[in-house]
Amino acid sequence: MSTHNFVLIGEAGSGKTEIAANLALRLAEDMPVPVCLIDMDQTKCMFRARDFSSLLEKGHVHMAVNPELWDSPLMPQGVTSLLKDDSICCVFDAGGNAVGAAMLGQFAGLMAEKNTSYYYVINPCRAFSGTVGEIRESLDAIMVSARVPAGRLEVIANPYMGGYTTAELIAGYYRRLEQDLAKLDLSIKCLAVSKTFSSRVRKQMNVPMLELDTFVDKLYV
């Protein structure tokens, strides 16, 4: 196994929780070791990975939680033990902003001892990501708080505007974000897109794509 930890960081509304859940489920299908999703997003109580834990457990993804303190903004139990266990693959849903990312920063030393991939999720349709300046300011603050090693961060683009989303909107925002990131010497690792739009987007763009199941929809049906 080349990578032990996967860390998803990003502003509130970027879609990192959806992506973290999808990534964890995909890893659980492919990895020969248990996969644990650690919900460390303390700053956005509206939609959290812990809210659909039963769906994740069906896909053989375990969660590190404190059930008796489910709705409290506290650290999930056993994070240090999980990081020290070489027989577990950890996926972190971290941050929300620089304050939330600081929850992850305290484990930077342990993560440095492992193979860790860091992904910064950007929804260019949202606040904090509309201009190059906003992206730089948010990214710098979160990287410092989470103590992400220099040169180790990769970007996942997730253009999404709820019911207003179209394949054309996704393609347009992706291209604009690609241009903005070039000014920061960054590139996009992949495009995250709902399976609802993926086939139509593929007809417009030839880019690496992560197709998403939308768990937020499953919570309210």
Side-chain angles (χ1 to χ4, degrees), residues 27-149:
L27 290 169
E29 292 177 354
D30 299 333
M31 287 284 191
V33 298
V35 175
C36 185
L37 176 57
I38 303 174
D39 185 354
M40 296 180 68
D41 191 342
Q42 306 296 317
T43 62
K44 186 171 184 282
C45 60
M46 186 175 177
F47 176 55
R48 300 166 299 188
R50 67 190 76 169
D51 295 327
F52 48 90
S53 59
S54 61
L55 294 172
L56 293 168
E57 291 287 350
K58 289 178 182 178
H60 306 290
V61 172
H62 310 290
M63 292 202 68
V65 296
N66 296 355
E68 71 278 9
L69 301 170
W70 197 254
D71 293 317
S72 301
L74 300 176
M75 181 71 66
Q77 62 187 14
V79 175
T80 298
S81 297
L82 289 169
L83 284 170
K84 289 182 176 180
D85 191 337
D86 291 331
S87 67
I88 295 176
C89 173
C90 297
V91 178
F92 289 85
D93 175 15
N97 57 21
V99 176
M103 297 284 284
L104 180 70
Q106 63 190 287
F107 301 105
L110 281 172
M111 288 186 175
E113 298 173 5
K114 307 287 185 177
N115 291 324
T116 303
S117 293
Y118 297 87
Y119 299 99
Y120 185 66
V121 182
I122 299 179
N123 181 349
C125 308
R126 299 281 188 178
F128 311 111
S129 303
T131 68
V132 175
E134 289 172 338
I135 293 172
R136 179 188 288 113
E137 182 178 358
S138 175
L139 182 58
D140 287 348
I142 287 176
M143 284 191 67
V144 170
S145 295
R147 296 172 63 189
V148 177

